[in-house]
Amino acid sequence: MAFETKTKLQIEKRVSELKTIQSDYFKKKKSERPSEGLDEARKELKRLKTILANSYRGRENSQEDMDYVSSNFA
């Protein structure tokens, strides 16, 4: 099942936000960085990029991924 264009745009926007979070994290000195937060952003970023890639390539996403998108972007 493919996503609507609106949903893809929302996912792309979230990917952009996560990249900004990651970038801002590494702009700080190691001693000033928060100890948590980056791992969760990276996991979500990886998942969303996989979902988008599958969608653009015409591949099926897993039911778990479809449920994730439905609950967060619908």
Side-chain angles (χ1 to χ4, degrees):
M1 179 179 153
F3 302 113
E4 295 178 17
T5 303
K6 179 181 175 185
T7 304
K8 286 182 185 177
L9 292 175
Q10 289 175 330
I11 294 171
E12 288 173 354
K13 181 180 177 188
R14 181 63 182 153
V15 167
S16 179
E17 291 170 358
L18 291 169
K19 285 182 180 181
T20 302
I21 289 170
Q22 201 172 20
S23 174
D24 290 344
Y25 180 85
F26 286 111
K27 286 180 183 176
K28 297 178 183 176
K29 293 181 181 179
K30 282 187 177 183
S31 61
E32 297 173 359
R33 293 179 189 167
S35 58
E36 72 283 330
L38 185 62
D39 289 336
E40 290 300 318
R42 283 183 169 172
K43 287 178 186 176
E44 185 179 358
L45 182 61
K46 181 179 179 182
R47 184 177 200 178
L48 292 176
K49 287 171 91 174
T50 301
I51 291 169
L52 278 177
N54 287 342
S55 180
Y56 284 125
R57 293 178 182 142
R59 297 179 185 161
E60 288 290 321
N61 284 300
S62 68
Q63 187 60 43
E64 184 181 329
D65 288 341
M66 297 297 287
D67 293 342
Y68 178 79
V69 170
S70 296
S71 66
N72 290 302
F73 298 100

